Amino acid sequence: MEEFDSEPTVTWIPGVNSQKKQMCFDWGPGEMLVCETSFNRKEKSEMVAGCPFIHIIRKDIDVYSKILRKLFNESHGIFVGLQRIEEELTGKSRKAQLVRVSKNYRSVIRACMEEMHQFAVADKDSARGRQFSSQVSILSAMELIWNLCEILFIEVAPAGPLLLYLLDWVRLHVCEVDNLSADVLGSENPSKHESFWNLVTTLVLQGRLDEARQMLSKEADTNPTSAGMCRVLGDLMRTMPVLSPGNTQTLTELELRWQHWHEECERHLQDGTFASNPHLESLCKVLLGDDAALLEQKELLSNWYHFLVTRLLYSQPTVKPMDLHLYAQSSLDLFLGGESSPEPLDNILMAAFEFDIHQVIKECSLALSNWWFVAHLTDLLDHCKLLQSHNLYFGSNMREFLLLEYASGLFAHHSLWQLGVDYCDHCPELGRVSLELHIERIPLTTEQKALKVLRVCEQRQMTEQVRSICKILAMKAVRNNRLGSALSWSIRAKDAAFATLVSDRFLRDYCERGCFSDLDLIDNLGPAMMLSDRLTFLGKYREFHRLYGEKRFVDAASLLLSLMTSQIAPRSFWMTLLTDALPLLEQKQVIFSAEQTYELLRCLEDLTSGRPLCGEPDAQQLQEDDIETTKVEILRLALARNLARSIIKEGSLEGS
């Protein structure tokens, strides 16, 4: 039966006096809430009006989001794949593989974000729609941070290519310009569109100079007076030196070329080439990397890290990674201008620009609503050999701590717990202990789920957990009167005491109904019947019935007698066994020998003599019951007749 996500139930706690503030709580494994009340079990407590409620609060609510569940499932496959290929990663191939893994994680985040956005648009006027929009913002921030960490820590981009990566980073995450471009180019006269110059400026701010030149050509075609200025500015954009990925020029050559180009831009500005057109003049100032000119476009830049990358593009295109934090801090200060304080996202990005990995992880842990992001990012950075020196005070390392915290949230969910198992498996220090702790607390709501949990435990040789689960399932089966299932679970748990209990229930049912249930199980006990004496008796007693059914009377009689004389049969069942012997005693041929008949007589006398075996006070009841007395008399008569027949038969054989 499939389980569905639902809101937690509200539990009514009797006896709590909220005015005295006697209740406290704390998180246990999963969703367990431990509370202490003044409730007295000895007194009869009734729920009366005004009794306080306690709400079960989910520790990690994100695992119950159907969309985010796709994020958890997809990333789980990437995580497991990374652990498996770790041994194969070496040299350049190692870096390429790790970058590929990072991009896979980001693609999963983006796919989840796009789906969440569709739901947000569909329900934009409802509270749920606003919740979706908030989640989209969080996912967007997660990808923004991950992408920057990929550039700085995994790609480890050197001076020159570093700026190219940062440009791609900004273009990917500041994408309003694409909608603006479609709007402007879709009009009848783009150059007359009210947002035309905003579009051109935004393209220049993002370093998309080829597209900006194309837009300027439209302005030149419709406005002859500015055609010359557009052509000059377009040439400046075309000749701007850029270190492309396939370019073989050195950084020194690039810096010299860029310096000459920068001087040419400055000369045109000083000569007043664009003085008659404020828009073109403003664009020329942007190309010069003028801070004041850039800050005038604050609305188009939208955030400080866009301002940072644009500023670097037009003032420090060969910035070194070690200097990045200086420009980042000054850009943040200039952009905010003291009007507002940095947001949590700003602090995380600044920590990344400072190459402080641990601060990035710490800030993300505080700011984000679940452990998914920090757990997977930390694992990836650990594979990049960047966290080896950082151990926590209680003995584990940061990677394990965060992975196990994330797995803890997964174990609270009715199906995602299966993902949590793999995360524990790949934590060599504390993973096994954590798995044992959580696996015992998974609610075994269906037998199918219980079998999955059991398989996990058996694959990992978790003997105690296997026994515990089997005993729980056996108890449930007994309560539901499913004795066959209960017996199979107790055998699987190797629990002799419980197997004895279930075997007694089988024998009691046989006495009441005259037949066995679950014959297939009993017939195929095999070596399992040796688990307890009572289970052995059950299996052998069933074998007696099978021999009797096959008319193998001699073998059946021998087995029946051995069950009684070996003390395997419970004393309370002796009368049943003696009654089963009656049809054999009345056969035409002699089945029981004289010696066997004496043994049966001895057993009958022991049963009726009032000398019960130790610990069995119910034996006296047999003499008090008239029906039982009649049975005894019939048995004595049958045994006496069989004894006479067997003596005559054995005497005649000796005489011959």
Side-chain angles (χ1 to χ4, degrees):
M1 181 179 177
E2 186 179 357
E3 298 178 77
F4 297 96
D5 292 331
S6 60
E7 287 301 311
T9 57
V10 178
T11 305
W12 204 346
I13 306 294
V16 178
N17 188 339
S18 57
Q19 294 180 348
K20 293 183 179 180
K21 300 179 181 179
Q22 292 177 322
M23 187 167 59
C24 62
F25 68 92
D26 196 4
W27 290 116
E31 296 177 2
M32 191 181 298
L33 198 61
V34 182
C35 63
E36 184 176 330
T37 75
S38 58
F39 179 63
N40 188 351
R41 293 191 177 203
K42 295 181 181 179
E43 299 175 3
K44 185 177 180 181
S45 176
E46 295 182 359
M47 297 182 184
V48 296
C51 185
F53 291 94
I54 184 167
H55 294 260
I56 303 299
I57 305 169
R58 283 176 170 159
K59 187 175 182 180
D60 193 347
I61 191 67
D62 288 342
V63 300
Y64 295 92
S65 167
K66 292 182 179 179
I67 301 174
L68 290 179
R69 200 178 312 161
K70 295 179 181 178
L71 174 69
F72 302 147
N73 279 312
E74 293 292 328
S75 58
H76 163 260
I78 300 171
F79 169 82
V80 173
L82 175 59
Q83 315 310 309
R84 289 174 180 168
I85 65 173
E86 167 62 19
E87 295 179 359
E88 305 169 9
L89 300 179
T90 55
K92 293 182 178 179
S93 65
R94 177 187 182 84
K95 178 180 176 180
Q97 285 273 42
L98 292 172
V99 171
R100 181 181 58 79
V101 169
S102 179
K103 292 182 185 297
N104 288 342
Y105 275 126
R106 287 201 295 115
S107 68
V108 171
I109 298 174
R110 182 158 287 272
C112 187
M113 180 173 61
E114 290 173 356
E115 185 174 353
M116 190 78 75
H117 177 69
Q118 292 174 1
F119 279 93
V121 171
D123 293 339
K124 61 182 177 181
D125 295 328
S126 66
R128 188 174 178 180
R130 290 190 292 273
Q131 185 180 356
F132 283 138
S133 296
S134 174
Q135 194 67 59
V136 168
S137 301
I138 294 172
L139 289 170
S140 178
M142 285 165 61
E143 198 208 347
L144 178 76
I145 300 164
W146 192 298
N147 196 352
L148 182 60
C149 291
E150 179 184 300
I151 293 168
L152 299 178
F153 304 132
I154 304 172
E155 286 275 9
V156 197
L162 174 61
L163 185 60
L164 298 179
Y165 285 118
L166 292 175
L167 275 173
D168 289 338
W169 174 60
V170 164
R171 291 168 186 169
L172 181 63
H173 297 282
V174 184
C175 50
E176 294 84 356
V177 66
D178 295 321
N179 295 329
L180 183 62
S181 179
D183 188 29
V184 171
L185 293 175
S187 64
E188 294 182 4
N189 191 345
S191 63
K192 300 299 181 184
H193 194 281
E194 60 181 359
S195 300
F196 174 79
W197 288 108
N198 280 349
L199 173 60
V200 177
T201 305
T202 304
L203 290 171
V204 173
L205 291 173
Q206 289 196 6
R208 297 162 67 168
L209 299 182
D210 290 339
E211 295 172 67
R213 284 172 50 227
Q214 292 174 8
M215 300 302 296
L216 287 177
S217 67
K218 296 183 183 298
E219 166 68 10
D221 292 341
T222 57
N223 191 354
T225 57
S226 61
M229 290 181 286
C230 288
R231 186 177 63 255
V232 173
L233 189 61
D235 287 341
L236 289 175
M237 292 180 183
R238 179 177 55 81
T239 57
M240 178 182 174
V242 178
L243 182 65
S244 58
N247 201 328
T248 57
Q249 65 181 326
T250 64
L251 286 181
T252 305
E253 292 172 340
L254 176 66
E255 287 174 350
L256 288 173
R257 289 183 56 211
W258 185 86
Q259 190 62 40
H260 289 308
W261 173 83
H262 190 270
E263 290 172 358
E264 186 178 357
C265 292
E266 195 168 8
R267 181 174 55 80
H268 280 292
L269 189 64
Q270 290 176 353
D271 291 347
T273 304
F274 311 109
S276 61
N277 191 318
H279 294 297
L280 296 176
E281 187 176 39
S282 176
L283 288 173
C284 186
K285 290 180 180 179
V286 169
L287 293 178
L288 284 167
D290 182 72
D291 286 346
L294 290 173
L295 289 172
E296 287 178 6
Q297 310 301 333
K298 195 171 182 178
E299 290 186 7
L300 297 179
L301 287 166
S302 72
N303 51 63
W304 68 270
Y305 49 87
H306 187 185
F307 171 58
L308 163 67
V309 176
T310 303
R311 189 180 174 208
L312 291 174
L313 175 64
Y314 297 118
S315 63
Q316 294 292 335
T318 57
V319 62
K320 295 179 175 62
M322 66 182 70
D323 298 328
L324 203 53
H325 71 282
L326 299 174
Y327 294 103
Q329 188 62 60
S330 63
S331 297
L332 176 63
D333 295 339
L334 285 170
F335 195 83
L336 296 182
E339 298 175 4
S340 59
S341 57
E343 298 288 335
L345 177 61
D346 301 329
N347 295 330
I348 294 169
L349 296 178
M350 185 58 64
F353 283 124
E354 292 173 353
F355 288 87
D356 190 344
I357 297 175
H358 302 120
Q359 189 63 25
V360 170
I361 295 170
K362 179 181 177 181
E363 294 284 351
C364 288
S365 299
L366 294 172
L368 298 176
S369 59
N370 63 68
W371 294 102
W372 178 90
F373 181 85
V374 289
H376 290 85
L377 179 61
T378 302
D379 174 64
L380 184 57
L381 294 176
D382 187 72
H383 281 87
C384 295
K385 310 298 182 186
L386 297 173
L387 297 173
Q388 265 59 20
S389 61
H390 194 77
N391 288 326
L392 303 180
Y393 68 90
F394 47 79
S396 181
N397 57 49
M398 182 181 288
R399 171 188 174 273
E400 278 208 13
F401 173 78
L402 294 174
L403 285 176
L404 293 176
E405 282 295 317
Y406 171 62
S408 177
L410 295 178
F411 275 106
H413 192 266
H414 60 75
S415 62
L416 293 178
W417 65 269
Q418 298 172 83
L419 307 184
V421 172
D422 285 330
Y423 288 95
C424 290
D425 281 344
H426 292 100
C427 293
E429 290 186 38
L430 300 177
R432 171 83 179 199
V433 175
S434 180
L435 179 58
E436 290 175 353
L437 175 69
H438 286 294
I439 207 81
E440 292 178 344
R441 290 166 173 79
I442 296 175
L444 305 178
T445 49
T446 65
E447 191 158 316
Q448 182 183 8
K449 185 175 181 180
L451 288 170
K452 289 181 180 178
V453 176
L454 202 58
R455 195 176 305 117
V456 167
C457 295
E458 289 176 340
Q459 289 171 349
R460 290 156 182 80
Q461 289 82 46
M462 296 166 63
T463 309
E464 288 302 317
Q465 285 69 29
V466 169
R467 292 188 62 185
S468 175
I469 292 167
C470 289
K471 287 171 75 171
I472 291 170
L473 295 171
M475 287 296 296
K476 284 186 177 181
V478 166
R479 284 196 294 267
N480 295 325
N481 205 34
R482 296 168 55 220
L483 297 182
S485 178
L487 184 58
S488 65
W489 284 122
S490 60
I491 291 171
R492 195 164 180 175
K494 295 182 173 57
D495 189 334
F498 204 85
T500 299
L501 174 69
V502 178
S503 299
D504 281 337
R505 285 285 299 271
F506 264 107
L507 295 172
R508 193 194 320 162
D509 279 8
Y510 171 78
C511 292
E512 293 173 358
R513 297 164 51 192
C515 63
F516 282 112
S517 58
D518 299 286
L519 284 178
D520 287 344
L521 175 65
I522 301 174
D523 285 343
N524 295 283
L525 284 174
M529 73 170 63
M530 304 305 294
L531 182 61
S532 76
D533 288 347
R534 199 60 46 83
L535 187 57
T536 303
F537 169 72
L538 178 65
K540 291 295 183 182
Y541 185 56
R542 169 57 192 157
E543 186 180 345
F544 160 76
H545 279 275
R546 184 173 55 80
L547 293 171
Y548 186 88
E550 295 172 357
K551 299 188 183 302
R552 296 165 59 185
F553 298 134
V554 175
D555 293 337
S558 177
L559 178 57
L560 184 69
L561 186 62
S562 69
L563 290 176
M564 297 187 69
T565 56
S566 64
Q567 303 297 321
I568 291 179
R571 187 179 180 85
S572 60
F573 209 74
W574 278 16
M575 182 56 74
T576 303
L577 293 175
L578 288 168
T579 305
D580 286 335
L582 270 174
L584 296 173
L585 293 169
E586 298 297 331
Q587 292 291 326
K588 290 182 179 180
Q589 66 184 69
V590 178
I591 304 299
F592 290 101
S593 67
E595 184 179 354
Q596 289 176 324
T597 308
Y598 281 124
E599 286 293 333
L600 290 173
L601 280 167
R602 183 183 61 79
C603 291
L604 180 61
E605 289 306 314
D606 284 348
L607 192 62
T608 58
S609 64
R611 298 194 307 271
L613 294 177
C614 182
E616 305 214 10
D618 295 334
Q620 290 289 347
Q621 185 176 350
L622 294 172
Q623 294 179 330
E624 299 169 2
D625 194 331
D626 291 341
I627 297 175
E628 293 300 319
T629 303
T630 303
K631 283 184 182 180
V632 170
E633 293 303 323
I634 293 172
L635 279 169
R636 282 199 177 112
L637 178 60
L639 287 167
R641 290 171 58 189
N642 188 79
L643 180 60
R645 292 167 60 199
S646 61
I647 290 173
I648 293 170
K649 179 182 176 182
E650 292 170 9
S652 62
L653 288 174
E654 289 177 4
S656 63

